């Protein structure tokens, strides 16, 4: 049975200690869909899914973390990068990314966990918000949701994309999609995003659930490591402050990011 969680629970240090030590429960339930509450959940280390009317924050038992020095680019992927004129952009076709995820990434055979209500909540943070809870700890944390898009420059088609967010100096990738007629485009988009975020000074990438089975195998393929809850929170807490902005005019060829990462 999942426990309820509300905004005031995040300010209760004793409750927080219990949550961190809890090895029997990782999921919580809330009917609070306020964007500020969501940003505070992320600031504490929760990663949320949803099944309306419930927002379902999870304080995962372990996390898939990608450090930039561990990024692995397969030879087959680099060959595809050379052959196509892919360009990485951000926050230019956000609704299109969302609808493609809804269509390509079903949950329980019919419904994606990233529903319209969740998406509308995320869009409220697309211009960025200061995390109010940070002041309690004498910190300053800027939270902003993003979409990253991989565009075929020859056709202007959106071939892959993802939704995630920046909390301080950590980027968390929530979910994404890729077009079936563009093999490996999902990995190309994600790896291009990782390389670009490295340039901006992001500390590390949180990929959420560790790889298990074929569906999430791509995380291990690109170099993510599994880190237990306590160790992850220690790293995350040290990096959740600050403010890193994604330029609105981002337009960077995947070839530049993945084939010549040190050229700029």
């Amino acid at each position: 049975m999942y426990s309820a969680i509300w905004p005031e629970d995040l300010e209760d240090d004793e409750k927080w200690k219990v949550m961190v030590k809890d090895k029997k429960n990782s999921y919580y339930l809330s009917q609070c869909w306020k964007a500020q509450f969501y940003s505070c959940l992320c600031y504490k280390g929760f990663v949320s899914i949803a099944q309306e009317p419930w927002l379902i924050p999870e304080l995962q038992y372990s996390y898939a973390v990608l450090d930039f020095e561990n990024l692995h680019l397969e030879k087959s992927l680099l060959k595809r990068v050379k052959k196509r004129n892919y360009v990485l952009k951000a926050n230019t076709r956000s609704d299109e990314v969302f609808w493609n995820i809804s269509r390509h990434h079903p949950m329980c055979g019919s419904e994606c966990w990233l529903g319209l209500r969740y998406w509308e909540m995320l869009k409220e943070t697309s211009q960025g918000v200061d995390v109010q809870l940070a002041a309690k700890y004498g910190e300053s944390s800027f939270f902003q949701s993003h979409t990253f898009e991989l565009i075929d420059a020859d056709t202007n088609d959106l071939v892959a994309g993802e939704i995630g967010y920046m909390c301080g100096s950590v980027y968390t990738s929530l979910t994404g999609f890729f077009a079936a007629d563009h093999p490996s485009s999902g990995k190309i988009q994600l790896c291009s995003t990782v390389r670009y975020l490295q340039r901006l000074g992001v500390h590390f990438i949180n990929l959420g659930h560790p790889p298990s089975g074929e569906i999430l195998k791509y995380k291990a393929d690109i170099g993510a490591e599994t880190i237990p809850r306590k160790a992850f929170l220690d790293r995350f807490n040290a990096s959740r402050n600050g403010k890193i902005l994604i330029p609105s005019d981002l337009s960077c060829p995947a070839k530049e990011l993945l084939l010549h990462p040190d050229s700029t």
Side-chain angles (χ1 to χ4, degrees):
M1 188 70 179
Y2 298 165
S3 300
I5 189 168
W6 296 97
E8 56 269 24
D9 295 325
L10 299 181
E11 298 189 34
D12 189 322
D13 292 338
E14 292 305 313
K15 283 188 177 181
W16 175 246
K17 291 178 183 178
V18 172
M19 291 180 190
V20 172
K21 293 179 180 179
D22 191 346
K23 296 182 179 180
K24 295 183 179 180
N25 179 51
S26 63
Y27 289 101
Y28 297 82
L29 293 176
S30 184
Q31 288 187 309
C32 180
W33 291 81
K34 294 181 179 180
Q36 182 58 230
F37 174 55
Y38 182 83
S39 72
C40 291
L41 284 168
C42 298
Y43 172 80
K44 296 292 281 189
F46 287 92
V47 179
S48 300
I49 58 172
Q51 188 169 353
E52 295 187 27
W54 301 104
L55 182 67
I56 310 175
E58 183 184 9
L59 195 62
Q60 298 174 194
Y61 295 125
S62 57
Y63 296 73
V65 169
L66 179 60
D67 290 304
F68 298 112
E69 63 269 22
N70 294 334
L71 179 63
H72 174 69
L73 302 174
E74 299 165 328
K75 290 182 179 179
S76 58
L77 181 142
L78 294 176
K79 287 181 180 179
R80 294 188 186 279
V81 173
K82 291 178 182 178
K83 292 179 180 179
R84 307 301 292 255
N85 291 319
Y86 289 140
V87 176
L88 180 72
K89 297 191 176 184
N91 306 312
T92 61
R93 296 166 70 167
S94 298
D95 283 329
E96 192 176 348
V97 171
F98 165 70
W99 288 113
N100 272 282
I101 290 172
S102 297
R103 186 168 68 248
H104 288 92
H105 186 45
M107 176 180 174
C108 300
S110 61
E111 183 180 1
C112 178
W113 63 261
L114 182 65
L116 186 59
R117 191 175 186 183
Y118 196 124
W119 176 234
E120 292 298 333
M121 178 182 64
L122 278 179
K123 287 203 293 185
E124 290 183 40
T125 69
S126 63
Q127 300 303 310
V129 297
D130 291 316
V131 181
Q132 294 175 358
L133 184 61
K136 171 181 169 65
Y137 302 100
E139 299 177 349
S140 177
S141 181
F142 187 75
F143 179 91
Q144 189 172 18
S145 62
H146 295 286
T147 61
F148 287 95
E149 304 105 19
L150 191 70
I151 310 297
D152 185 335
D154 295 328
T155 63
N156 200 38
D157 289 339
L158 174 67
V159 301
E162 75 171 83
I163 295 172
Y165 56 80
M166 195 80 69
C167 186
S169 300
V170 180
Y171 176 74
T172 296
S173 176
L174 286 174
T175 187
F177 86 97
F178 68 93
D181 57 343
H182 285 259
S184 299
S185 57
K187 278 188 181 179
I188 293 171
Q189 175 269 307
L190 178 56
C191 292
S192 296
T193 299
V194 170
R195 281 287 192 223
Y196 184 77
L197 294 177
Q198 182 179 15
R199 290 183 180 181
L200 294 184
V202 171
H203 291 183
F204 64 89
I205 308 296
N206 173 20
L207 293 176
H209 279 137
S212 60
E214 287 300 313
I215 294 178
L216 301 181
K217 181 177 177 291
Y218 73 92
K219 298 181 183 182
D221 290 344
I222 65 172
E225 297 181 337
T226 299
I227 297 181
R229 178 192 288 166
K230 181 60 167 61
F232 171 82
L233 292 175
D234 288 344
R235 282 195 65 182
F236 181 75
N237 291 349
S239 298
R240 66 186 181 182
N241 298 296
K243 183 176 184 178
I244 294 179
L245 299 176
I246 307 296
S248 59
D249 60 350
L250 166 61
S251 181
C252 193
K255 290 177 182 177
E256 175 186 318
L257 290 165
L258 301 181
L259 301 180
H260 311 289
D262 300 321
S263 62
T264 60

